[in-house]
């Protein structure tokens, strides 16, 4: 399978605090990769660096076989990022929110309209497109947050805990939508604290602790390897901690 992102020896410190200490992993085209790790393991730091929001100290990252130094514009145009903290303008309509974010990727006129309609339909918010996000439920805001990140049809979508604090219906909608995106050819990186979501959605997981990768594989294969019956137990076995710690 084709590698779409390759991360080698990634390091990042905040003053004396080593957040990433030589992280290596690959992302393969068309997969949904789950990143699991206890609090403070370095997941958000990894995602922020991959999203090009944060600078690495050391290491190499290639996207589509290219480095960010020379190809940042192309890479950014093909990345979609759903941040952990909802980033929306509360006082303009849902439609205008998506239009704004999609326009940042250079979409104009009919292409822009088509992109907004596609994203609204995708997250099931067509009926509420003229409402202000401040009148939305938490789940609807999360869905709109996703719509803003996928309207430009990125090849890679990165989601940082996209289902925190939402109702089961919105959560199911998000998980089903991600499977749909995968069918359309999008490659996805997903982090969450919810093991059941990872079990439901991830084709492969990497487990990160203290800024390093400690395991990598398909869930079933890892359970067999460590003779565990649940991802929860496997995680505890490998890190000595519960995901909720
Ligand atoms: P996770 O997402 O797995 O919980 P983070 O990437 O947020 O982990 O954090 C990794 C480590 O880096 C933690 O020890 C955290 O306290 C520290 N850290 C994260 N962001 C900052 C920051 N902006 N300033 C200082 N330390 C930080």
């Amino acid at each position: 399978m084709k590698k779409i992102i390759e991360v080698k020896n990634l390091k990042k410190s905040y003053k004396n605090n080593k957040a990433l200490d030589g992280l290596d992993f690959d992302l393969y085209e068309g997969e949904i990769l789950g990143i699991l790790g206890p609090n403070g393991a370095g997941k958000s730091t990894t995602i922020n660096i991959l999203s090009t929001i944060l600078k690495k100290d050391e290491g190499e990252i290639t996207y589509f076989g290219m480095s960010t130094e020379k190809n940042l514009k192309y890479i950014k145009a093909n990345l979609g990022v759903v941040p952990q903290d909802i980033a929306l303008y509360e006082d303009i309509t849902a439609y205008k929110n998506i239009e704004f974010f999609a326009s940042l990727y250079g979409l104009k006129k009919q292409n822009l309209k088509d992109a907004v309609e596609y994203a609204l339909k995708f997250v099931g918010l067509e009926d509420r497109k003229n409402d202000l996000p401040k009148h939305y439920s938490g789940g609807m805001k999360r869905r709109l947050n996703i719509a803003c990140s996928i309207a430009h049809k990125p090849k890679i979508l990165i989601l940082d805990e996209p289902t925190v604090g939402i109702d089961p219906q919105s959560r199911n909608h998000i998980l089903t939508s991600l499977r749909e995106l995968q069918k359309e050819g999008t490659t996805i990186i997903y982090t969450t604290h919810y093991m059941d979501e990872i079990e439901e959605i991830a084709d492969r997981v990497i487990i990160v602790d203290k800024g390093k990768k400690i395991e990598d594989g398909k869930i079933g294969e890892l359970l067999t390897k460590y003779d565990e019956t649940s991802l929860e137990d496997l995680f505890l076995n490998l890190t000595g901690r519960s995901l909720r710690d």
Side-chain angles (χ1 to χ4, degrees), residues 110-163:
Q110 193 59 42
N111 287 340
L112 181 58
K113 273 190 188 160
D114 291 347
V116 178
E117 292 297 342
Y118 158 80
L120 279 166
K121 185 158 183 246
F122 198 80
V123 297
L125 288 174
E126 301 118 298
D127 298 350
R128 305 288 302 269
K129 67 181 178 187
N130 294 321
D131 290 2
L132 304 178
K134 66 181 177 190
H135 298 140
Y136 272 9
S137 69
M140 290 165 75
K141 283 186 192 180
R142 288 257 167 220
R143 278 148 65 181
L144 180 57
N145 208 33
I146 292 176
C148 293
S149 311
I150 56 124
H152 64 294
K153 297 200 174 175
K155 290 189 168 73
I156 304 172
L157 181 65
I158 301 175
L159 301 107
D160 194 0
E161 309 228 4
T163 58

Side-chain angles (χ1 to χ4, degrees), residues 152-235:
H152 64 294
K153 297 200 174 175
K155 290 189 168 73
I156 304 172
L157 181 65
I158 301 175
L159 301 107
D160 194 0
E161 309 228 4
T163 58
V164 169
I166 64 172
D167 58 284
Q169 194 199 349
S170 284
R171 176 187 169 278
N172 288 337
H173 197 287
I174 288 173
L175 294 180
T176 312
S177 309
L178 293 179
R179 278 273 175 235
E180 283 299 312
L181 271 186
Q182 183 185 31
K183 280 191 202 136
E184 289 177 18
T186 314
T187 307
I188 296 171
I189 298 183
Y190 194 91
T191 74
T192 176
H193 270 76
Y194 306 120
M195 289 284 188
D196 55 332
E197 284 183 11
I198 289 284
E199 282 174 327
E200 192 175 329
I201 200 159
D203 300 309
R204 187 167 63 93
V205 292
I206 59 169
I207 299 177
V208 177
D209 197 15
K210 302 188 181 79
K212 284 195 175 94
K213 184 179 81 178
I214 55 171
E215 254 310 351
D216 181 341
K218 291 196 161 70
I219 295 170
E221 290 170 5
L222 293 178
L223 293 178
T224 308
K225 179 173 170 186
Y226 290 93
D227 197 21
E228 295 286 3
T229 50
S230 73
L231 196 52
E232 192 106 38
D233 289 343
L234 174 71
F235 189 81

Side-chain angles (χ1 to χ4, degrees), residues 12-15 17-20 37-46 48 54 84 160-161 193 208:
K12 175 77 187 175
S13 294
Y14 301 97
K15 296 199 174 137
N17 187 354
K18 274 189 193 167
L20 295 178
N39 263 329
K43 301 182 297 296
S44 292
T45 303
T46 305
N48 289 338
L54 186 69
Q84 193 169 31
D160 194 0
E161 309 228 4
H193 270 76
V208 177

